[in-house]
Amino acid sequence: MAIVFHCEHCGKEIRAADDAGGKWGKCPNCQHKLYVPSPDAGEELKLAPEDINDLEREKKLMEETYRLTQDILKEREVPEGSSAPKGAIYEMSDKELKQNIIIYLRQMENGELDKAERTAALIAPYKSKVTQILDRIALSEIPEPQLSDIAPQVLSGLIRTLRSKIS
């Protein structure tokens, strides 16, 4: 009796000999490496599709997480015994500014244009500092670790785009 299962990559039904159970093989259709289930594994497990409500909830949670992370990045500790003067303008540190620039570049690369616009608005008031940081990123032989998977030409274009936005 043959073991019948489906390729997880292309979905093609595969029939394998009983002695192939518990071993690795290749799909005859797409050549994807796959595990042949043991013959005593029982019936094929039928999985339900993901619930759309769960996907929407996950998306909302991810957006809220992003918003909260941005809020935390904007917070500034005030030493005990002193109070911030009323109407004080928040001054973003160079480290926070660089992190927000990297976040902007990642958002643009991932196609998250609305989020990127909000991030650009956060860093726009620091035009001269942003320009200096962008120069360092652009002229660096080794890219920042968070940006290392972006093609150099794409990264260069994203940096030019941000420069034009803040000037």
Side-chain angles (χ1 to χ4, degrees):
M1 183 171 172
I3 301 171
V4 181
F5 62 103
H6 293 274
C7 174
E8 60 197 32
H9 189 259
C10 70
K12 176 130 175 108
E13 183 177 283
I14 301 171
R15 295 181 182 274
D18 286 339
D19 61 344
K23 298 179 183 172
W24 288 90
K26 286 187 177 182
C27 172
N29 186 49
C30 69
Q31 303 302 314
H32 179 73
K33 186 176 179 181
L34 48 82
Y35 181 76
V36 180
S38 299
D40 60 353
E43 291 185 27
E44 184 177 336
L45 180 61
K46 301 214 186 278
L47 301 174
E50 288 190 58
D51 186 12
I52 292 176
N53 291 333
D54 287 343
L55 294 175
E56 290 173 7
R57 193 173 326 125
E58 180 181 353
K59 183 179 177 184
K60 286 180 184 176
L61 288 172
M62 291 303 291
E63 288 173 356
E64 184 177 355
T65 301
Y66 173 79
R67 186 184 52 76
L68 290 172
T69 302
Q70 292 301 312
D71 290 346
I72 291 170
L73 287 173
K74 293 177 201 170
E75 286 183 1
R76 183 175 183 187
E77 290 184 35
V78 177
E80 280 187 36
S82 66
S83 61
K86 291 186 178 181
I89 298 174
Y90 172 74
E91 186 66 28
M92 195 179 299
S93 72
D94 286 352
K95 185 177 179 180
E96 290 173 311
L97 199 52
K98 182 177 180 181
Q99 187 60 39
N100 278 308
I101 291 169
I102 290 170
I103 288 170
Y104 168 85
L105 296 170
R106 291 296 330 178
Q107 289 167 336
M108 288 296 289
E109 198 269 337
N110 292 333
E112 300 169 341
L113 303 180
D114 291 336
K115 291 179 181 178
E117 287 296 321
R118 289 191 295 266
T119 305
L122 280 176
I123 60 179
Y126 308 98
K127 188 185 304 186
S128 62
K129 285 184 179 181
V130 171
T131 303
Q132 291 172 358
I133 294 170
L134 286 173
D135 286 343
R136 278 183 286 190
I137 292 172
L139 298 174
S140 175
E141 293 274 331
I142 301 170
E144 295 294 321
Q146 304 93 320
L147 304 172
S148 62
D149 64 327
I150 301 176
Q153 298 86 352
V154 174
L155 184 58
S156 177
L158 295 174
I159 289 172
R160 279 194 306 271
T161 302
L162 182 55
R163 274 179 174 276
S164 67
K165 276 189 189 298
I166 62 168
S167 46

